[in-house]
Coordinates of all heavy atoms in Angstrom, one line a residue:
M7 N 0.8 -1.2 0.0 CA 0.0 0.0 0.0 C 0.9 1.2 0.0 O 1.8 1.4 0.8 CB -0.9 0.0 1.3 CG -1.9 1.1 1.3 SD -2.9 1.0 2.7 CE -2.0 2.0 3.9
S8 N 0.6 2.2 -0.9 CA 1.4 3.4 -0.9 C 0.5 4.6 -0.6 O -0.7 4.6 -1.1 CB 2.1 3.6 -2.2 OG 1.2 3.8 -3.2
M9 N 1.0 5.5 0.1 CA 0.2 6.7 0.4 C 0.5 7.8 -0.6 O 1.6 7.9 -1.1 CB 0.6 7.3 1.8 CG 0.5 6.3 2.9 SD -1.2 6.2 3.5 CE -1.4 7.7 4.4
P10 N -0.5 8.5 -1.1 CA -0.3 9.6 -2.0 C 0.6 10.7 -1.3 O 0.3 11.0 -0.1 CB -1.7 10.1 -2.3 CG -2.5 9.6 -1.2 CD -1.9 8.3 -0.7
E11 N 1.5 11.2 -2.0 CA 2.4 12.1 -1.3 C 2.1 13.6 -1.6 O 2.8 14.5 -1.2 CB 3.9 11.8 -1.7 CG 4.4 10.6 -1.1 CD 5.9 10.4 -1.3 OE1 6.2 9.8 -2.3 OE2 6.7 10.8 -0.4
T12 N 1.0 13.8 -2.3 CA 0.5 15.1 -2.6 C 0.1 15.8 -1.3 O -0.5 15.2 -0.4 CB -0.7 15.1 -3.5 OG1 -1.6 14.2 -3.0 CG2 -0.3 14.7 -4.9
A13 N 0.4 17.0 -1.1 CA 0.0 17.9 0.0 C 0.5 17.3 1.3 O -0.1 17.5 2.4 CB -1.5 18.0 0.0
Q14 N 1.6 16.6 1.3 CA 2.1 16.0 2.6 C 3.2 17.0 3.1 O 4.4 16.7 2.8 CB 2.7 14.6 2.4 CG 1.7 13.5 2.6 CD 1.4 13.3 4.1 OE1 1.9 14.0 5.0 NE2 0.7 12.3 4.5
A15 N 2.9 18.0 3.8 CA 3.9 19.0 4.2 C 4.7 18.4 5.4 O 5.8 18.7 5.5 CB 3.2 20.3 4.6
A16 N 4.0 17.7 6.2 CA 4.6 17.2 7.5 C 5.4 15.9 7.2 O 4.9 15.0 6.5 CB 3.6 17.0 8.6
A17 N 6.5 15.7 7.8 CA 7.3 14.5 7.7 C 7.0 13.6 8.9 O 6.7 14.2 10.0 CB 8.8 14.8 7.7
T18 N 6.9 12.3 8.7 CA 6.7 11.4 9.8 C 8.0 10.7 10.2 O 8.8 10.3 9.3 CB 5.6 10.4 9.4 OG1 4.4 11.1 9.1 CG2 5.3 9.5 10.6
A19 N 8.3 10.6 11.4 CA 9.5 9.9 11.9 C 9.2 9.2 13.2 O 8.2 9.4 13.8 CB 10.6 10.9 12.0
S20 N 10.2 8.4 13.6 CA 10.1 7.8 14.9 C 11.4 7.9 15.6 O 12.4 8.2 15.0 CB 9.7 6.3 14.7 OG 10.7 5.6 14.0
A21 N 11.3 7.9 17.0 CA 12.5 8.1 17.8 C 12.2 7.4 19.1 O 11.1 7.0 19.4 CB 12.7 9.6 18.0
S22 N 13.3 7.3 19.9 CA 13.1 6.8 21.3 C 13.8 7.8 22.2 O 14.6 8.6 21.8 CB 13.7 5.4 21.4 OG 15.1 5.5 21.1
G23 N 13.4 7.8 23.5 CA 13.9 8.7 24.4 C 13.4 8.5 25.8 O 12.7 7.5 26.1
T24 N 13.6 9.5 26.7 CA 13.2 9.5 28.0 C 12.3 10.7 28.3 O 12.6 11.8 27.9 CB 14.4 9.7 29.0 OG1 15.3 8.6 28.7 CG2 13.9 9.6 30.5
V25 N 11.1 10.4 28.9 CA 10.2 11.5 29.2 C 10.7 12.4 30.3 O 11.1 11.9 31.4 CB 8.8 10.9 29.6 CG1 7.8 12.0 30.1 CG2 8.2 10.0 28.5
E26 N 10.8 13.6 30.0 CA 11.3 14.6 31.0 C 10.2 15.3 31.7 O 10.3 15.7 32.9 CB 12.2 15.7 30.3 CG 13.4 15.1 29.6 CD 14.5 14.8 30.6 OE1 14.7 15.5 31.6 OE2 15.1 13.7 30.5
A27 N 9.1 15.5 31.0 CA 7.9 16.2 31.6 C 6.7 15.9 30.8 O 6.7 15.6 29.6 CB 8.2 17.7 31.7
V28 N 5.5 15.9 31.5 CA 4.2 15.7 30.9 C 3.4 16.9 31.4 O 3.2 17.1 32.6 CB 3.6 14.4 31.3 CG1 2.2 14.3 30.6 CG2 4.4 13.2 30.9
D29 N 2.8 17.6 30.4 CA 1.9 18.7 30.8 C 0.5 18.4 30.3 O 0.2 18.5 29.1 CB 2.4 20.0 30.1 CG 1.6 21.2 30.6 OD1 0.4 21.1 31.0 OD2 2.2 22.3 30.7
A30 N -0.3 17.9 31.2 CA -1.7 17.4 30.8 C -2.5 18.6 30.3 O -3.4 18.4 29.5 CB -2.3 16.7 31.9
A31 N -2.3 19.7 30.9 CA -3.2 20.9 30.6 C -2.8 21.4 29.2 O -3.7 21.7 28.4 CB -3.0 22.0 31.6
A32 N -1.6 21.5 28.9 CA -1.1 22.0 27.6 C -1.1 20.8 26.5 O -1.0 21.1 25.3 CB 0.3 22.6 27.7
K33 N -1.3 19.6 27.0 CA -1.2 18.4 26.2 C 0.1 18.3 25.4 O 0.2 18.2 24.2 CB -2.4 18.4 25.2 CG -3.7 18.0 25.9 CD -4.8 17.7 24.9 CE -6.0 17.0 25.6 NZ -5.7 15.7 26.1
T34 N 1.2 18.4 26.2 CA 2.5 18.3 25.6 C 3.3 17.3 26.4 O 3.1 17.1 27.6 CB 3.3 19.7 25.6 OG1 3.4 20.1 26.9 CG2 2.5 20.7 24.7
I35 N 4.3 16.7 25.7 CA 5.3 15.8 26.4 C 6.7 16.3 26.0 O 7.0 16.5 24.8 CB 5.1 14.4 25.9 CG1 3.6 13.9 26.1 CG2 6.0 13.4 26.7 CD1 3.4 12.5 25.6
T36 N 7.5 16.5 27.0 CA 8.9 16.9 26.8 C 9.7 15.6 26.9 O 9.7 14.9 27.8 CB 9.4 17.9 27.8 OG1 8.5 19.1 27.7 CG2 10.8 18.3 27.5
I37 N 10.5 15.4 25.8 CA 11.2 14.1 25.7 C 12.7 14.4 25.4 O 13.0 15.2 24.5 CB 10.7 13.2 24.6 CG1 9.2 12.8 25.0 CG2 11.5 11.9 24.5 CD1 8.5 12.0 23.9
A38 N 13.6 13.8 26.1 CA 15.0 13.8 25.7 C 15.2 12.7 24.8 O 15.2 11.5 25.2 CB 15.9 13.6 27.0
H39 N 15.2 13.0 23.5 CA 15.3 11.9 22.5 C 16.6 11.8 21.8 O 17.4 12.7 21.8 CB 14.2 12.2 21.4 CG 14.4 13.4 20.5 ND1 15.3 13.4 19.5 CD2 13.8 14.6 20.5 CE1 15.3 14.5 18.9 NE2 14.4 15.3 19.5
G40 N 16.8 10.6 21.3 CA 18.1 10.3 20.6 C 18.0 10.9 19.2 O 17.0 11.5 18.8
P41 N 19.1 10.7 18.4 CA 19.1 11.2 17.0 C 18.0 10.7 16.2 O 17.6 9.5 16.3 CB 20.5 10.7 16.5 CG 21.3 10.4 17.7 CD 20.3 9.9 18.8
V42 N 17.5 11.5 15.3 CA 16.4 11.1 14.4 C 17.0 11.2 13.0 O 17.1 12.3 12.4 CB 15.2 12.0 14.5 CG1 14.0 11.5 13.6 CG2 14.7 12.1 15.9
E43 N 17.5 10.1 12.5 CA 18.2 10.1 11.2 C 17.3 10.6 10.1 O 17.8 11.3 9.2 CB 18.7 8.7 10.9 CG 20.2 8.6 10.7 CD 20.7 7.1 10.7 OE1 20.4 6.5 9.7 OE2 21.2 6.7 11.7
A44 N 16.0 10.2 10.1 CA 15.2 10.5 9.0 C 15.1 12.1 8.8 O 14.9 12.6 7.7 CB 13.8 9.9 9.2
L45 N 15.2 12.8 9.9 CA 15.1 14.2 9.9 C 16.4 15.0 10.0 O 16.4 16.2 10.1 CB 14.1 14.7 11.0 CG 12.7 14.1 10.9 CD1 11.9 14.6 12.1 CD2 12.0 14.5 9.6
K46 N 17.5 14.2 10.2 CA 18.8 14.7 10.5 C 18.8 15.5 11.7 O 19.4 16.6 11.8 CB 19.3 15.5 9.3 CG 19.4 14.7 8.0 CD 20.2 15.5 7.0 CE 20.5 14.7 5.7 NZ 20.0 13.4 5.5
W47 N 18.1 15.1 12.7 CA 18.1 15.8 14.0 C 19.1 15.1 14.9 O 19.2 13.9 15.0 CB 16.7 15.6 14.7 CG 15.6 16.5 14.2 CD1 15.6 17.3 13.1 CD2 14.3 16.6 14.7 NE1 14.4 17.9 13.0 CE2 13.6 17.5 13.9 CE3 13.6 16.0 15.8 CZ2 12.2 17.8 14.2 CZ3 12.3 16.3 16.1 CH2 11.6 17.2 15.2
P48 N 19.8 15.9 15.6 CA 20.7 15.4 16.7 C 19.9 15.0 17.9 O 18.7 15.3 18.0 CB 21.7 16.5 17.0 CG 20.8 17.7 16.7 CD 19.9 17.4 15.6
A49 N 20.5 14.3 18.9 CA 19.8 14.1 20.1 C 19.6 15.4 20.8 O 20.4 16.3 20.7 CB 20.7 13.2 21.0
M50 N 18.4 15.6 21.4 CA 18.1 16.8 22.1 C 16.9 16.6 23.0 O 16.2 15.6 23.0 CB 17.8 17.9 21.1 CG 16.4 17.7 20.4 SD 16.0 18.9 19.1 CE 16.7 18.1 17.7
T51 N 16.6 17.6 23.8 CA 15.4 17.6 24.6 C 14.4 18.6 24.0 O 14.8 19.8 23.8 CB 15.7 18.0 26.1 OG1 16.6 17.0 26.6 CG2 14.4 18.0 26.9
M52 N 13.2 18.2 23.7 CA 12.3 19.1 23.2 C 10.9 18.8 23.6 O 10.6 17.7 24.0 CB 12.4 19.1 21.6 CG 12.1 17.8 21.0 SD 12.4 17.8 19.2 CE 11.0 18.8 18.6
T53 N 10.0 19.7 23.4 CA 8.6 19.5 23.8 C 7.7 19.2 22.6 O 7.8 20.0 21.6 CB 8.1 20.8 24.5 OG1 8.9 21.0 25.7 CG2 6.6 20.6 24.9
F54 N 7.0 18.1 22.6 CA 6.2 17.7 21.5 C 4.7 18.0 21.9 O 4.3 17.9 23.0 CB 6.3 16.2 21.2 CG 7.6 15.8 20.7 CD1 8.7 15.5 21.5 CD2 7.8 15.7 19.3 CE1 9.9 15.1 21.0 CE2 9.0 15.3 18.8 CZ 10.1 15.0 19.6
K55 N 3.9 18.4 20.9 CA 2.5 18.4 21.1 C 2.0 17.0 21.1 O 2.5 16.1 20.4 CB 1.8 19.2 20.0 CG 2.2 20.7 19.9 CD 1.6 21.3 18.7 CE 2.2 22.7 18.6 NZ 2.0 23.2 17.2
A56 N 0.9 16.7 21.9 CA 0.4 15.4 22.0 C -1.1 15.4 22.2 O -1.6 14.9 23.2 CB 1.1 14.6 23.1
P57 N -1.8 16.0 21.3 CA -3.3 16.2 21.5 C -4.1 14.9 21.5 O -5.1 14.9 22.1 CB -3.7 17.1 20.3 CG -2.7 16.8 19.3 CD -1.4 16.6 20.0
D58 N -3.6 13.9 20.9 CA -4.3 12.6 20.8 C -3.7 11.5 21.6 O -4.1 10.4 21.4 CB -4.4 12.2 19.3 CG -5.1 13.3 18.4 OD1 -6.1 13.9 18.9 OD2 -4.7 13.5 17.3
V59 N -2.8 11.9 22.5 CA -2.2 10.8 23.3 C -2.8 10.8 24.7 O -3.2 11.8 25.2 CB -0.7 11.1 23.4 CG1 0.0 10.2 24.4 CG2 0.0 11.0 22.1
D60 N -3.0 9.6 25.2 CA -3.4 9.4 26.6 C -2.3 9.8 27.5 O -1.4 9.0 27.8 CB -3.9 8.0 26.8 CG -4.3 7.8 28.3 OD1 -4.5 8.8 29.0 OD2 -4.4 6.6 28.7
L61 N -2.3 11.0 28.0 CA -1.2 11.5 28.8 C -1.0 10.8 30.1 O 0.0 10.9 30.8 CB -1.2 13.0 28.9 CG -1.1 13.8 27.6 CD1 -1.3 15.3 27.9 CD2 0.3 13.5 27.0
A62 N -2.1 10.1 30.6 CA -2.0 9.4 31.8 C -1.2 8.2 31.7 O -0.8 7.6 32.7 CB -3.4 9.0 32.3
S63 N -0.9 7.8 30.5 CA -0.1 6.6 30.2 C 1.4 6.8 30.3 O 2.2 5.9 30.2 CB -0.5 5.9 28.9 OG 0.0 6.7 27.8
V64 N 1.8 8.1 30.3 CA 3.3 8.3 30.4 C 3.6 9.3 31.5 O 2.8 10.1 31.9 CB 3.8 9.0 29.1 CG1 3.7 8.0 27.9 CG2 3.0 10.2 28.7
K65 N 4.8 9.1 32.1 CA 5.2 9.9 33.2 C 6.7 10.2 33.1 O 7.4 9.5 32.4 CB 4.8 9.3 34.5 CG 5.5 8.0 34.8 CD 5.0 7.4 36.1 CE 5.9 6.2 36.5 NZ 5.9 5.1 35.5
Q66 N 7.1 11.1 33.9 CA 8.5 11.5 33.9 C 9.4 10.3 34.2 O 9.1 9.5 35.1 CB 8.7 12.6 35.0 CG 10.1 13.2 35.0 CD 10.3 14.3 36.0 OE1 9.5 14.4 36.9 NE2 11.4 15.0 35.9
G67 N 10.4 10.1 33.4 CA 11.4 9.0 33.6 C 11.1 7.8 32.8 O 11.9 6.9 32.7
D68 N 9.9 7.8 32.1 CA 9.6 6.6 31.3 C 10.5 6.6 30.0 O 10.8 7.6 29.4 CB 8.2 6.7 30.8 CG 7.1 6.3 31.8 OD1 7.5 5.9 32.9 OD2 5.9 6.4 31.5
Q69 N 10.9 5.4 29.7 CA 11.7 5.1 28.4 C 10.6 4.8 27.4 O 9.8 3.9 27.5 CB 12.6 3.9 28.6 CG 13.6 4.1 29.7 CD 14.7 5.1 29.3 OE1 15.2 5.1 28.2 NE2 15.1 5.9 30.3
V70 N 10.6 5.6 26.3 CA 9.5 5.5 25.3 C 10.1 5.4 23.9 O 11.2 5.9 23.6 CB 8.5 6.6 25.4 CG1 7.8 6.6 26.8 CG2 9.2 8.0 25.3
E71 N 9.2 4.8 23.1 CA 9.4 4.9 21.6 C 8.2 5.6 21.1 O 7.1 5.4 21.6 CB 9.6 3.5 21.0 CG 10.9 2.9 21.4 CD 11.1 1.5 20.9 OE1 10.1 0.9 20.4 OE2 12.2 1.0 20.9
F72 N 8.4 6.5 20.1 CA 7.2 7.3 19.7 C 7.4 7.6 18.2 O 8.4 7.6 17.6 CB 7.1 8.6 20.5 CG 8.3 9.5 20.5 CD1 8.2 10.6 19.7 CD2 9.4 9.2 21.3 CE1 9.3 11.5 19.7 CE2 10.5 10.1 21.2 CZ 10.4 11.2 20.5
E73 N 6.2 7.8 17.6 CA 6.1 8.3 16.2 C 5.6 9.7 16.3 O 4.7 10.0 17.1 CB 5.2 7.4 15.4 CG 5.8 6.0 15.2 CD 4.8 5.0 14.5 OE1 3.8 5.5 14.0 OE2 5.1 3.8 14.5
F74 N 6.0 10.5 15.4 CA 5.6 11.9 15.3 C 5.6 12.5 13.9 O 6.3 12.0 13.1 CB 6.4 12.8 16.3 CG 7.9 12.8 15.9 CD1 8.4 13.9 15.2 CD2 8.8 11.8 16.3 CE1 9.7 14.0 14.9 CE2 10.1 11.9 15.9 CZ 10.6 13.0 15.2
T75 N 4.9 13.5 13.8 CA 5.0 14.3 12.5 C 5.7 15.6 12.9 O 5.5 16.1 14.0 CB 3.6 14.6 11.9 OG1 2.8 15.3 12.9 CG2 2.8 13.3 11.6
S76 N 6.5 16.1 12.0 CA 7.2 17.3 12.2 C 7.0 18.3 11.1 O 7.0 17.9 9.9 CB 8.6 17.0 12.5 OG 9.3 16.8 11.3
S77 N 6.9 19.5 11.4 CA 6.9 20.6 10.5 C 8.0 21.5 11.0 O 7.8 22.3 11.9 CB 5.6 21.3 10.4 OG 5.6 22.4 9.6
G78 N 9.2 21.4 10.4 CA 10.3 22.1 11.0 C 10.7 21.5 12.3 O 10.7 20.3 12.4
M79 N 10.8 22.3 13.3 CA 11.1 21.8 14.7 C 9.8 21.6 15.5 O 9.9 21.4 16.7 CB 12.1 22.7 15.4 CG 13.5 22.7 14.8 SD 14.2 21.1 14.7 CE 14.5 20.8 16.4
D80 N 8.7 21.7 14.8 CA 7.4 21.6 15.5 C 6.9 20.2 15.4 O 6.5 19.8 14.3 CB 6.4 22.6 14.9 CG 5.2 22.8 15.7 OD1 5.3 22.6 17.0 OD2 4.2 23.2 15.2
G81 N 7.0 19.4 16.5 CA 6.6 18.0 16.4 C 5.3 17.7 17.1 O 5.1 18.2 18.2
T82 N 4.6 16.8 16.6 CA 3.3 16.3 17.2 C 3.4 14.8 17.3 O 3.5 14.1 16.2 CB 2.1 16.7 16.3 OG1 2.1 18.1 16.2 CG2 0.8 16.2 17.0
I83 N 3.3 14.3 18.5 CA 3.3 12.8 18.7 C 2.0 12.2 18.2 O 1.0 12.6 18.6 CB 3.7 12.5 20.1 CG1 5.1 12.9 20.5 CG2 3.5 11.0 20.4 CD1 5.5 12.7 21.9
T84 N 2.1 11.1 17.4 CA 0.9 10.4 17.0 C 0.8 9.1 17.7 O -0.3 8.5 17.8 CB 1.0 10.2 15.5 OG1 2.2 9.5 15.1 CG2 0.9 11.5 14.7
K85 N 1.9 8.6 18.2 CA 1.8 7.3 18.9 C 3.0 7.2 19.8 O 4.1 7.6 19.5 CB 1.9 6.2 17.8 CG 1.8 4.8 18.4 CD 2.0 3.8 17.2 CE 1.9 2.3 17.8 NZ 2.3 1.4 16.7
I86 N 2.8 6.7 21.0 CA 3.9 6.5 22.0 C 3.7 5.2 22.8 O 2.6 4.9 23.2 CB 3.9 7.8 22.9 CG1 5.2 7.8 23.8 CG2 2.7 7.9 23.8 CD1 5.5 9.1 24.5
T87 N 4.8 4.5 22.9 CA 4.8 3.2 23.6 C 6.0 3.1 24.5 O 7.0 3.7 24.3 CB 4.8 2.0 22.6 OG1 6.0 2.1 21.8 CG2 3.6 2.0 21.8
H88 N 5.8 2.4 25.6 CA 7.0 2.2 26.5 C 7.9 1.1 25.9 O 7.5 0.2 25.2 CB 6.5 1.7 27.9 CG 5.7 2.7 28.6 ND1 4.3 2.9 28.4 CD2 6.0 3.6 29.5 CE1 3.9 3.9 29.1 NE2 4.9 4.3 29.8
K89 N 9.2 1.3 26.2 CA 10.2 0.3 25.7 C 10.1 -0.9 26.5 O 9.8 -0.8 27.7 CB 11.6 0.9 25.9 CG 12.0 1.8 24.7 CD 13.5 1.9 24.8 CE 14.0 3.1 24.0 NZ 15.4 3.4 24.2
Ligands
LIG18 CU1 14.2 17.2 18.8

């Protein structure tokens, strides 16, 4: 199955890292993540939007793997699982 690539502004990538903070009110998760080769990102700590994630399922210190879409340095997590 192939997805049409028309109008696909956002890139999808996956990464793993450690949860540094969860903000349930803002619906964001801050993660210290490893390098993301697909996007040529170095390892860093950044805050991702997570509007569709069950934030009760993650907490500070969790080791996670996650998928996200990015538009520049603006990332939105679409899926997150514990390692
Ligand atoms: Cu980053």
Side-chain angles (χ1 to χ4, degrees):
M7 187 179 87
S8 68
M9 303 280 286
E11 287 188 275
T12 49
Q14 269 284 7
T18 302
S20 59
S22 61
T24 304
V25 175
E26 295 286 319
V28 177
D29 188 330
K33 288 195 166 290
T34 61
I35 305 174
T36 301
I37 300 177
H39 69 74
V42 185
E43 236 169 77
L45 301 176
K46 298 194 176 2
W47 284 6
M50 71 181 93
T51 297
M52 63 187 283
T53 299
F54 291 87
K55 294 172 189 164
D58 301 322
V59 170
D60 175 14
L61 294 176
S63 70
V64 291
K65 64 181 189 305
Q66 186 179 15
D68 283 357
Q69 301 287 316
V70 294
E71 289 179 343
F72 58 103
E73 292 175 10
F74 62 99
T75 58
S76 79
S77 177
M79 292 304 290
D80 194 23
T82 301
I83 293 176
T84 53
K85 185 183 176 188
I86 187 165
T87 56
H88 293 83
K89 273 197 201 172

